[in-house]
Amino acid sequence: PDLEGPPLLETRELNLTTGEAIRTKTFWLLIFASSSQALISTALVFHQISIFGTKGIDPGVAAIALTVMAVSSLIGTFFAGILSDKYPNRYILAGAQVVMIAAMLSTFTITLPWHGLLYNGILGISGGLFMTTTSVIWANYFGRKNLGSIRGLATTSMVGFAALGPMPFGLFFDRTGSYSTVIVLFLFLPVACGIAAFLARPPKVKH
């Protein structure tokens, strides 16, 4: 059966072991597709005050903007939950990459405080879309029986990407005094991750 959705009406659930999961192309496509959110979003939030400072915006606004991001993330999470039950999860994951690209590009338009709030709102929506979709897609694709160990590997990789993210952004800023170059260079990542997400079809059930 096609375990991609929508909605799942099959009585038989595909349950792969961890070893079987990591031998599928889908597993590695999903690992890569999840990397952009972990790496880029963490880097942008880590350097939030500095990014706003280069635009002449007060650090207090940067702090308020994080609240906007939290609220918009809740909104993204809510709608991703609805969409995940109606449409193939890989489409939503690919769509989240598009929103991430929009957030990255919006950093170039920040000149006023409300621009910064809008940027954080877009970034929060992308995070919410990622959060819900990457939670349900592993169960929908690989089953629930060994979900803990499979998700454990996926989460470990995401933590690794998150840890790496702030470093290149900081290095480029130290050299150039701006985040523009590094943001442009890293635009390739959500583009590539969007393609990977789109290609991440559910593993086939073997009879």
Side-chain angles (χ1 to χ4, degrees):
D2 183 358
L3 300 179
E4 198 170 1
L8 298 180
L9 299 177
E10 306 294 340
T11 57
R12 182 186 176 192
E13 180 182 67
L14 174 65
N15 284 293
L16 299 183
T17 66
T18 305
E20 290 172 334
I22 64 177
R23 287 193 292 272
T24 66
K25 179 177 68 175
T26 299
F27 178 88
W28 297 106
L29 286 172
L30 290 180
I31 289 288
F32 178 66
S34 303
S35 66
S36 63
Q37 166 66 15
L39 192 152
I40 295 174
S41 182
T42 301
L44 292 175
V45 172
F46 188 89
H47 293 282
Q48 169 100 321
I49 292 178
S50 182
I51 291 173
F52 277 43
T54 63
K55 308 293 184 177
I57 297 177
D58 188 86
V61 177
I64 295 173
L66 291 176
T67 301
V68 173
M69 185 174 69
V71 173
S72 63
S73 178
L74 290 175
I75 296 172
T77 299
F78 175 76
F79 281 104
I82 296 174
L83 295 173
S84 294
D85 288 338
K86 295 180 178 295
Y87 302 102
N89 298 161
R90 62 194 179 100
Y91 293 169
I92 304 167
L93 189 56
Q97 312 289 346
V98 176
V99 182
M100 171 63 74
I101 292 171
M104 295 173 72
L105 292 175
S106 70
T107 61
F108 296 101
T109 67
I110 298 175
T111 56
L112 297 171
W114 74 267
H115 296 159
L117 299 180
L118 178 61
Y119 149 68
N120 268 236
I122 299 172
L123 187 62
I125 290 174
S126 73
L129 292 173
F130 274 108
M131 188 181 304
T132 298
T133 309
T134 54
S135 294
V136 301
I137 197 169
W138 293 99
N140 287 342
Y141 276 25
F142 299 101
R144 293 169 292 177
K145 186 176 181 180
N146 301 295
L147 182 60
S149 57
I150 294 172
R151 279 297 308 275
L153 290 175
T155 302
T156 299
S157 71
M158 291 181 68
V159 171
F161 286 120
L164 291 173
M167 182 181 296
F169 278 65
L171 290 174
F172 270 90
F173 179 74
D174 288 343
R175 288 180 175 272
T176 66
S178 170
Y179 291 96
S180 298
T181 301
V182 70
I183 289 174
V184 169
L185 289 175
F186 271 87
L187 278 172
F188 85 91
L189 186 57
V191 172
C193 288
I195 295 172
F198 187 80
L199 295 176
R201 297 187 65 86
K204 297 295 184 180
V205 178
K206 295 182 178 180
H207 299 285

